[in-house]
Amino acid sequence: MDFELTDDQVTIRKAVAELAGTFDDRYWMEKDRAHEFPTEFYDTLASGGWLGVTTPEEYGGHGLGITEASIILEEVSRSGGGMNAASSIHMSIFGMHPVILHGSQELKQRTLPRIVDGSLHVCFGVTEPGAGLDTTKITTFAKRVGDSYIVNGRKVWISKAQESEKILLLTRTTTFSDSAKKTDGMTLFLTDLDRAHVDIRPIAKMGRNAVSSNELFIDDLRIPVEDRVGEEGQGFRYILDGLNPERMLIAAEALGLGRVALDTAVRYGNEREVFGRPIGMNQGLQFPLADSLARLDAAELMLRKATWLYDQGRPCGREANTAKYLCADAGFEAADRALQTHGGMGYSEEYNVARYFREARLLKIAPLPQEMVLNYLGSHVLGLPRSY
């Protein structure tokens, strides 16, 4: 087993860390407080070519793997940008995978180069209020009318909808009751987010406020058939291709947040003196931080195994889910301990650990909660009866 990154991967890590490091904690705090999209950061990453890391070279990208994408997002998060930074570019880096694999040549030529250069923002529209994690129960419906589809429905928790020109939208084209299998009858589109037919309403939330989360009300949105991804009725199968990589990238973002939180706590533990000694000398503070270091290191190994398996074209569902579970837990625990190390000042906004805490907590929920990971491992890996 070789645990060393390649020379190219080391170069990517250093370059992204340097670039992301030019945006300090003050920048991210101000963006978060103002609920303002980090345009300067996004444009800088786009100018550096990092948005196209996994996009094939024929569309202007680099054609690299999920390992490289995970390194980029880990460093972006670790820079102090956390989820505000990672979520601003996450969809551009890997969200177009279903389009790359299943979209028409015309659709790919029309959209992918603009995603790579950063001029095209795209959001992902799957989740619905009445369906939640049970994607088969979505009711947003696309009715075929000639060479177009007319779409009506509702989506929720759609990140970046306010900034996005297009949406990767999952709909039903056959109702659940009329489908032979519950996963049949869903169709995927990459189409314009026409504000005349889509009402976008932001959701107030506890953190990651530089990147909005939104509810969408879709009323007679017309989609040309050219915007359909692949075949009608196969949309659910297409989005499955991106689930394991998404979990790996979320794991990388959690890992980065945990690392920066731990670094901040260690620095404070060395500098802050109480009763004539650095507080980091006290084992009551030192041991929890050392424990978090060990847990982050262990979680990283599972993430590296998961991305390696995926890039080798091998099954990785077990490893992808486990990496998401371990990194989310370790990242949040590190953020919580960093806040505790700072005492009362941790609850203030001065040292940024409160922001890390809020954003790290999200990763135990999104893109699926820890409990659903355990459901997967219990039924698909251990062979226990399915509980849902």
Side-chain angles (χ1 to χ4, degrees), residues 2-244:
D2 186 356
F3 294 99
E4 291 291 332
L5 297 179
T6 66
D7 290 342
D8 286 345
Q9 289 167 350
V10 170
T11 299
I12 289 171
R13 182 186 288 281
K14 290 180 179 178
V16 172
E18 182 178 345
L19 201 62
T22 62
F23 297 88
D24 60 15
D25 280 316
R26 180 179 294 277
Y27 173 86
W28 292 111
M29 182 59 73
E30 290 175 351
K31 292 294 183 182
D32 193 66
R33 287 175 175 172
H35 293 220
E36 181 180 332
F37 186 79
T39 301
E40 303 85 356
F41 171 81
Y42 175 89
D43 289 346
T44 298
L45 269 290
S47 297
W50 299 112
L51 301 188
V53 63
T54 64
T55 303
E57 293 182 20
E58 62 186 295
Y59 305 110
H62 300 297
L64 299 178
I66 197 67
T67 299
E68 287 78 14
S70 70
I71 290 170
I72 290 171
L73 286 168
E74 179 190 343
E75 288 304 318
V76 160
S77 183
R78 186 173 184 169
S79 72
M83 292 308 296
N84 277 318
S87 296
S88 73
I89 62 173
H90 183 114
M91 185 68 180
S92 299
I93 285 183
F94 199 80
M96 290 298 102
H97 196 57
V99 177
I100 292 170
L101 290 181
H102 305 290
S104 68
Q105 188 65 22
E106 186 274 334
L107 181 62
K108 289 187 280 191
Q109 289 284 5
R110 179 158 47 93
T111 58
L112 294 179
R114 290 188 59 210
I115 291 171
V116 169
D117 69 24
S119 62
L120 177 59
H121 288 269
V122 180
C123 60
F124 192 27
V126 174
T127 306
E128 297 186 6
L133 290 169
D134 189 358
T135 303
T136 63
K137 294 293 182 64
I138 66 170
T139 57
T140 295
F141 198 85
K143 181 180 179 181
R144 181 74 180 261
V145 180
D147 290 333
S148 300
Y149 292 84
I150 305 299
V151 180
N152 288 277
R154 184 178 171 191
K155 296 291 181 179
V156 71
W157 293 113
I158 310 305
S159 296
K160 276 185 65 175
Q162 294 184 51
E163 293 77 28
S164 294
E165 177 184 333
K166 291 185 179 291
I167 181 171
L168 188 60
L169 180 67
L170 186 68
T171 72
R172 275 209 166 271
T173 42
T174 304
T175 62
F176 180 86
S177 59
D178 289 336
S179 300
K181 294 170 56 180
K182 66 180 183 178
T183 56
D184 289 345
M186 283 179 275
T187 302
L188 188 64
F189 300 93
L190 177 58
T191 194
D192 291 340
L193 194 57
D194 184 354
R195 267 61 172 180
H197 296 276
V198 182
D199 182 16
I200 302 174
R201 304 179 188 177
I203 299 169
K205 56 189 193 294
M206 70 179 283
R208 204 208 67 173
N209 284 311
V211 178
S212 63
S213 299
N214 304 274
E215 193 165 11
L216 274 54
F217 297 83
I218 305 171
D219 184 17
D220 288 339
L221 176 66
R222 182 177 292 273
I223 300 178
V225 68
E226 293 81 12
D227 287 355
R228 190 183 69 209
V229 178
E231 299 177 15
E232 183 176 298
Q234 298 300 309
F236 185 83
R237 179 169 65 87
Y238 297 157
I239 66 170
L240 289 180
D241 290 323
L243 292 186
N244 285 330

Side-chain angles (χ1 to χ4, degrees), residues 370-380 387-388:
Q370 301 293 77
E371 293 79 7
M372 287 300 291
V373 173
L374 296 179
N375 279 332
Y376 175 89
L377 295 176
S379 59
H380 288 79
S387 61
Y388 61 98

